[in-house]
Amino acid sequence: MILLDGKKTSGDLKKEIAASVADRISQGKKAPHLAAILVGTDGASMTYVNAKVKACQRVGFDSTLINMPADSSEEKLLQEIDQLNRRKDIDGFIVQLPLPAHIDEQKILMAVDPEKDVDGFHPVNVGKMALNLPCFLPATPFGIMELLERYQVPTSGKQVVVIGRSHIVGRPMSILMSQQRPAGNATVTVAHSRTQNLKALTLQADIIVAALGIPGFLTGDMVKEGVTVVDVGITRLEDPSKKSGYRLSGDVHFESVSKKSSHITPVPGGVGPMTIAMLMKNTLLACKRKDG
Ligand code: GUN
């Protein structure tokens, strides 16, 4: 069993990005600048955004964090986005999801300038992705593709089952893996909450991407020998024995599934760190596109 080590791989990627930044600076160019808008004080979202800011510091980017109260109006958020769209010093920005229920998420994502949309959530970037045109790929699927590529997991002609059809992970994963590209050329099935007899599908799969958000959902009896498993789930489960009061659980029952796997991502230390590294990669790309 080979562990798809996202922590190590993301470390390698961040070193590569830091070297590119140092190169830019030595040529008298500016450092890339990422901004993030966080609405409210959701614990998980705060953790993710802080991790993104910390990653910026590590690779030599400038970063700006805009904290807005949970009861901020949609109008106020649209104004902040408009300002970031106009600011010449900002190369890319993200609006951390989920947003409070009174804000229309789609309306917000559509307000972001596609040239600064380093999350790849704007319909222009989603459309370009579907057409395999140059664009910002959403960071989690982009990170998974990078991990599969760097570990040389064979994907061409393989049976892939993606569990989950979210706009952020499942849907883009299914599109990318079926495309003609590195870690692509696979035959992809998208399974979801209405899928019947999921186990019959997963037992046939060479690669399973579990992105449904149910801790420990995929168990050893559901997979075949030699499978590659990518676990996108990261649910906080209460655990009084931990200092934080919780532990992170993936969608995969690691103990039983890893015994049958050729490759598997751990949680934590798998997909999560890759997501942040790919956001840095997109921001560097945005900066290069804008300033050369
Ligand atoms: N919430 C969960 N994943 C993501 C992500 O990749 N980007 C943003 N902006 N919010 C998220």
Side-chain angles (χ1 to χ4, degrees):
M1 186 269 288
I2 295 169
L3 211 58
L4 297 171
D5 188 341
K7 197 165 170 210
K8 182 193 171 293
T9 310
S10 68
D12 294 346
L13 268 157
K14 281 190 265 184
K15 275 191 205 131
E16 292 163 23
I17 295 166
S20 285
V21 175
D23 208 34
R24 288 182 63 78
I25 304 292
S26 73
Q27 290 172 38
K29 295 177 181 169
K30 77 173 205 56
H33 188 165
L34 174 71
I37 302 178
L38 175 63
V39 186
T41 53
D42 174 70
S45 290
M46 279 166 64
T47 306
Y48 297 146
V49 169
N50 288 334
K52 289 169 187 178
V53 170
K54 215 168 111 192
C56 283
Q57 289 161 357
R58 209 166 285 157
V59 296
F61 288 5
D62 294 328
S63 63
T64 297
L65 175 55
I66 298 167
N67 282 296
M68 296 178 68
D71 62 357
S72 302
S73 67
E74 190 175 276
E75 190 54 37
K76 185 82 187 60
L77 179 53
L78 286 168
Q79 281 169 12
E80 286 289 351
I81 291 171
D82 187 49
Q83 280 181 24
L84 293 178
N85 281 341
R86 289 166 192 271
R87 270 178 68 172
K88 297 256 185 303
D89 63 319
I90 300 232
D91 299 296
F93 67 97
I94 64 158
V95 181
Q96 187 65 28
L97 303 177
L99 288 167
H102 66 277
I103 296 176
D104 181 344
E105 186 175 295
Q106 203 53 46
K107 193 168 169 187
I108 294 303
L109 297 180
M110 284 178 69
V112 176
D113 178 349
E115 296 296 316
K116 292 191 175 185
D117 171 38
V118 285
D119 254 336
F121 292 167
H122 190 284
V124 164
N125 282 315
V126 178
K128 285 183 175 175
M129 174 194 63
L131 295 170
N132 208 354
L133 296 171
C135 64
F136 296 115
L137 292 178
T140 301
F142 193 12
I144 296 169
M145 297 301 280
E146 188 77 20
L147 206 49
L148 294 172
E149 194 185 335
R150 291 198 178 210
Y151 277 87
Q152 298 182 325
V153 175
T155 59
S156 182
K158 300 296 180 187
Q159 297 282 351
V160 175
V161 172
V162 177
I163 313 175
R165 55 181 162 184
S166 73
H167 293 166
I168 295 184
V169 185
R171 181 69 57 196
M173 238 7 260
S174 70
I175 293 170
L176 294 171
M177 289 205 74
S178 67
Q179 283 176 339
Q180 241 177 51
R181 59 162 69 235
N185 293 307
T187 304
V188 184
T189 303
V190 184
H192 45 77
S193 52
R194 303 290 177 92
T195 297
Q196 294 181 5
N197 206 358
L198 175 65
K199 189 174 170 180
L201 295 173
T202 54
L203 276 171
Q204 296 289 321
D206 301 303
I207 300 170
I208 300 172
V209 180
L212 69 161
I214 302 179
F217 178 85
L218 188 79
T219 47
D221 60 308
M222 296 172 75
V223 305
K224 72 175 180 186
E225 209 59 57
V227 68
T228 288
V229 178
V230 177
D231 188 352
V232 187
I234 103 168
T235 306
R236 288 180 171 199
L237 296 179
E238 267 188 44
D239 186 343
S241 74
K242 299 275 176 192
K243 209 172 92 186
S244 59
Y246 66 85
R247 69 187 161 86
L248 294 177
S249 171
D251 291 347
V252 175
H253 186 262
F254 188 87
E255 199 197 331
S256 59
V257 174
S258 61
K259 285 196 180 103
K260 295 171 89 175
S261 303
S262 67
H263 299 79
I264 186 167
T265 61
V267 174
V271 172
M274 290 302 291
T275 296
I276 295 184
M278 300 325 270
L279 178 64
M280 301 298 117
K281 198 161 175 165
N282 276 345
T283 305
L284 176 63
L285 181 67
C287 178
K288 284 182 175 169
R289 275 197 198 152
K290 202 162 124 289
D291 297 339

